[in-house]
Amino acid sequence: MTDNEMLELSRKIDDMLLKWADQNRTSALSLSAIVLARSMLLCDAVGSGDDFRKLCFEVSGKPLKSSKIESLH
């Protein structure tokens, strides 16, 4: 996957997440929890569950900079 293809996919995902949050009147945090859980099930189904959990563990231990985002687009 090229950088441009990854950017295009990311934008499509952003659009869908915003649409789902709006349609279901849910918070970003609640929707994120659902997406994370479904991603975990997807990885489990294809044999990547352990790697996904390792990734989550690694990311959770890293301090993240908080940035203010005006808009996803």
Side-chain angles (χ1 to χ4, degrees):
M1 180 176 274
T2 67
D3 287 347
N4 285 337
E5 290 169 333
M6 204 175 303
L7 181 60
E8 182 180 340
L9 177 59
S10 295
R11 287 184 176 146
K12 287 178 182 178
I13 291 170
D14 290 345
D15 289 341
M16 289 306 302
L17 291 172
L18 288 170
K19 179 181 172 184
W20 291 334
D22 185 49
Q23 285 177 344
N24 295 288
R25 297 183 194 147
T26 188
S27 69
L29 186 58
S30 293
L31 183 60
S32 296
I34 294 166
V35 171
L36 182 62
R38 303 313 292 178
S39 296
M40 188 177 299
L41 287 174
L42 172 64
C43 288
D44 285 343
V46 297
S48 299
D50 288 340
D51 289 334
F52 183 79
R53 285 169 179 79
K54 287 177 190 174
L55 174 64
C56 290
F57 179 76
E58 287 295 319
V59 171
S60 70
K62 309 272 189 232
L64 300 175
K65 289 184 181 178
S66 178
S67 61
K68 294 190 179 198
I69 300 174
E70 297 295 324
S71 171
L72 290 177
H73 299 285

